[in-house]
Amino acid sequence: MRYFLGFYWFAMAVTGAAQTFVSVPPSDAPELAARGKLSVGVQTISLIHRNQVDILHFDKETGKTPLYDRPLKVEVWYPAQIPAGAREETIYWMPVPGGHGFHGSPVFDVPDKALRDAPPMTGMPAPYPLVIVSHGYPGSRYFLSYLAANLASKGYVVAAIDHTDSVFDDQKGFESTLLNRSADQLFTIQALDELSREPESFLHGLVNAANVAIVGYSMGGYGALTSAGAGYSDSSRLMNWVPGGYLKDWAMDSPKFRALDRSRIKAIVAIAPWGEQPPYQAWDAKGLAGIRVPSLFIAGDHDDVADYAEGVRPAFEQAVHSNRCLLVYENARHNVGGNPPPDLPLPYSLLQSMDEPVWRKDRITSVNQHFITAFLDVYLKGEQAEASYLHVAPERSDDGKWPVPPNTKDAGEFSTGHDAQGDAFWKGFPRRSALGLEMICHEAR
């Protein structure tokens, strides 16, 4: 197959023997990153959110906008049965982020271990908890596919949204993303709940839409915090960015916001969430205190987009009514959420939006798979024993001590966390591998 990127043609031969799948972690991954025992299917569905504010056609003279039916394309990964003779493999075609000097609509392939349109695995233990995945601005429903298929293999239904006006090959005004991100997430939960009740839908009997987590990266994290109860501040600069005062319906004290049903949401994962950094400060302390479900924040301490020190960290600290943990990648910037970039000679302008200058990207994705699995298993499946993978010691991984003498050979086993002498090393990490990380956890008050 050929891919046109800039002025170059690249030919790539894909063979089953040599293929690397994005949801299969590397050999140095922590324990819970490994795929589960279930096979995975994937399907694309199209949703319509009717009678929504068409903010991109705001009329300055009347101060109003028309309404429109907002389309959303959603990719769904789920536990599946693989028919005899079929291969549990697929390729996602993800557009290249725009604005990098490319011509036309270049795409690159993302190979994965899932079968397109495979029959779902029904019966016990279905229905499965639902995980909504929400990309950044711009992004793609395939941008976090390393996580989606991995979680589906562990007994989750995972639905990743293409947020209209916010995708790589059709990026439009930012005001649409500011206004619609949380609305898209909440609507998708409702729509999948309805599909799970329709006998003709492949989701029938498969998904438990009353037991939901939202995983959001960047603007997806901005939406996830609000979907979980963090109403925006009336004094935020974002209120003026969205014309006509329409964002005020999502303010903390808005009757419309208070009336939203978010009872299905049991937990959120906010990866490098955008919005709290100056000068925007989307939320104040009262708004962030509105989050009353468990939360896992993930960020790089050198994030220069969402601003770790003045954005992500304060948002985490002020979510005081949430049982919450913050996983920190030391010396990482903003790109701690998405798939690794393709193995192609990409220009630096593109690598800046996909890769990290210090960290191996497949290392980041495997650590995310590990901790997000533990977090969701605890709060969506009630597997409390996995809380010990979250509440690790010491707080900074570099201070850990492997509980065997340094010259003792090992067979790549995972740390159990502590030994009889009280030495501590992050549970689930192989020897010599827990480096450059911090984990901070606070109980809700």
Side-chain angles (χ1 to χ4, degrees), residues 156-297:
Y156 293 91
V157 173
V158 183
I161 307 167
D162 255 359
H163 291 278
T164 302
D165 306 325
S166 189
V167 291
F168 286 140
D169 54 350
D170 192 23
Q171 180 181 353
K172 295 180 181 175
F174 192 45
E175 61 270 32
S176 176
T177 295
L178 291 172
L179 180 62
N180 288 302
R181 188 50 62 102
S182 182
D184 287 350
Q185 295 170 357
L186 296 174
F187 167 72
T188 300
I189 296 170
Q190 176 63 34
L192 295 184
D193 185 28
E194 293 173 3
L195 286 172
S196 73
R197 303 171 193 275
E198 296 182 5
E200 65 275 14
S201 170
F202 78 96
L203 291 172
H204 181 65
L206 190 68
V207 57
N208 180 0
N211 188 21
V212 181
I214 300 174
V215 178
Y217 166 63
S218 194
M219 292 308 300
Y222 157 92
L225 296 178
T226 297
S227 293
Y232 303 125
S233 168
D234 282 320
S235 62
S236 170
R237 182 175 293 190
L238 300 181
M239 289 296 175
N240 295 326
W241 200 326
V242 178
Y246 287 97
L247 197 60
K248 292 185 181 296
D249 286 343
W250 294 87
M252 192 63 194
D253 293 326
S254 163
K256 289 186 178 180
F257 182 76
R258 292 200 303 269
L260 289 173
D261 179 12
R262 54 183 66 88
S263 61
R264 297 183 176 95
I265 301 171
K266 308 305 181 185
I268 60 167
V269 180
I271 307 174
W274 186 96
E276 185 57 11
Q277 73 278 19
Y280 308 112
Q281 293 166 308
W283 307 276
D284 56 22
K286 179 181 178 181
L288 290 162
I291 302 171
R292 294 181 177 271
V293 297
S295 56
L296 173 61
F297 288 68

Side-chain angles (χ1 to χ4, degrees), residues 272-273 276 297-299 303 306-308 310-317 326:
E276 185 57 11
F297 288 68
I298 299 174
D303 189 327
D307 194 330
Y308 174 78
E310 296 194 71
V312 179
R313 185 65 184 261
F316 165 76
E317 295 292 352
L326 170 61

